């Protein structure tokens, strides 16, 4: 088992640990972008209140509810619809990146993946923007992961260059491979270009920072 990885049973036996459950919802689709670019799959993520990309879910207390029941409760708050989550949807459990095995308040993240029908996914998107209690507060909106590549490497590469919360980016990449949503070589190319985008973004930020410094001197 990889470093930091736990079985579901091992995770639940951890005393003094906090638990967070999140889920990736996806469906197949035959729709095309601009009538010519196959979208193939609809994969949902969310823009969080802190501007980071993540998956819907949140903290769960296993002493009061099962992990799956707690995740369903969180989904109702964030998505506005009740979605049943079962153990069969569980993919992995691991220590959060900022947690170490010596910490007294370790956070364990539990990740689930649930496949739905396209009309169900669309209903989730509608509800999340209209009736979800947390919309506009903890959740700023649902987003679809673009699984295609456009001219200039736009699409998946650009999406992967955004900022993600915790291990959400690695969870996304692992799931895209695990469930055969994106070919390994295609994903490799997207990640390679994403690194180039990160480099360019860093240069742009330096330029912007220099401008703010010059602006302060003028006032």
């Amino acid at each position: 088992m990889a470093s930091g990885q736990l079985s579901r049973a091992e995770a639940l036996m951890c005393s003094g640990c906090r638990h967070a459950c999140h889920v990736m919802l996806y469906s197949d689709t035959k729709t095309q972008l601009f009538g010519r670019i196959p979208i193939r799959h609809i994969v949902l993520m969310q823009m969080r209140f802190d501007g980071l990309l993540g998956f819907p879910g949140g903290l769960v207390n296993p002493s009061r509810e099962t992990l799956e029941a707690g995740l369903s409760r969180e989904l109702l708050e964030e998505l506005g619809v009740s979605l049943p989550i079962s153990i069969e949807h569980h993919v992995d459990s691991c220590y959060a990146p900022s947690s170490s095995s010596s910490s007294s308040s370790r956070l364990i993240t539990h990740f689930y993946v649930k496949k739905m029908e396209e009309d169900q996914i669309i209903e989730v998107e509608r509800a999340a923007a209209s009736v979800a209690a947390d919309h506009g507060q903890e959740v700023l909106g649902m987003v679809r992961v673009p699984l295609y590549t456009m001219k200039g490497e736009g699409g998946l590469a650009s999406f992967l260059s955004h900022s993600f919360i915790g291990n959400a980016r690695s969870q996304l990449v692992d799931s895209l491979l695990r469930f055969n949503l994106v070919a390994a070589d295609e994903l490799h190319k997207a990640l390679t270009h994403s690194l180039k985008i990160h480099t360019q973004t860093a240069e742009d930020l330096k330029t912007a920072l220099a401008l703010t410094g010059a602006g302060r001197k003028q006032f």
Side-chain angles (χ1 to χ4, degrees):
M1 187 172 293
S3 177
Q5 293 289 322
L6 303 163
S7 70
R8 185 177 181 280
E10 288 173 334
L12 290 173
M13 290 176 60
C14 180
S15 61
C17 291
R18 295 177 298 135
H19 297 263
C21 297
H22 298 84
V23 63
M24 185 183 92
L25 304 173
Y26 81 97
S27 73
D28 298 330
T29 181
K30 294 182 179 180
T31 57
Q32 295 184 326
L33 179 66
F34 306 132
R36 57 185 176 82
I37 301 175
I39 294 177
R40 300 177 295 185
H41 310 283
I42 300 173
V43 176
L44 296 186
M45 294 191 75
Q46 61 183 196
M47 178 65 73
R48 292 160 39 93
F49 65 93
D50 52 12
L52 300 176
L53 289 168
F55 291 101
L59 292 173
V60 172
N61 187 342
S63 67
R64 299 179 180 176
E65 57 189 351
T66 65
L67 295 174
E68 293 73 32
L71 177 53
S72 293
R73 172 182 51 74
E74 286 288 332
L75 295 181
L76 179 59
E77 296 173 3
E78 297 185 357
L79 304 180
V81 292
S82 179
L83 297 177
I85 302 295
S86 67
I87 296 178
E88 287 69 29
H89 297 126
H90 180 264
V91 173
D92 65 46
S93 297
C94 66
Y95 289 113
S98 59
S99 299
S100 66
S101 58
S102 61
S103 172
S104 60
S105 59
R106 290 173 290 179
L107 175 64
I108 296 177
T109 61
H110 305 271
F111 189 62
Y112 297 74
V113 174
K114 180 181 176 71
K115 185 176 183 179
M116 306 173 68
E117 296 299 324
E118 184 174 1
D119 60 339
Q120 294 175 313
I121 283 282
I122 292 174
E123 178 56 33
V124 167
E125 291 178 307
R126 289 173 178 167
S130 57
V131 300
D134 288 344
H135 180 70
Q137 299 181 61
E138 291 185 29
V139 180
L140 302 184
M142 302 302 296
V143 296
R144 293 188 181 190
V145 180
L147 301 183
Y148 44 81
T149 298
M150 304 173 66
K151 274 188 178 181
E153 302 298 333
L156 184 57
S158 296
F159 187 88
L160 291 173
S161 70
H162 293 317
S163 296
F164 292 71
I165 183 70
N167 54 353
R169 184 180 359 239
S170 61
Q171 289 172 332
L172 172 62
V173 171
D174 176 75
S175 297
L176 294 180
L177 291 172
R178 184 189 298 259
F179 295 94
N180 299 311
L181 303 183
V182 176
D185 58 342
E186 185 178 349
L187 188 54
H188 180 82
K189 290 179 181 178
L191 286 166
T192 299
H193 189 73
S194 182
L195 285 173
K196 296 179 182 178
I197 295 175
H198 265 295
T199 301
Q200 182 60 54
T201 299
E203 292 302 317
D204 290 344
L205 287 172
K206 289 178 182 178
T207 300
L209 185 60
L211 288 174
T212 61
R216 286 203 309 269
K217 293 178 181 179
Q218 295 177 6
F219 294 98

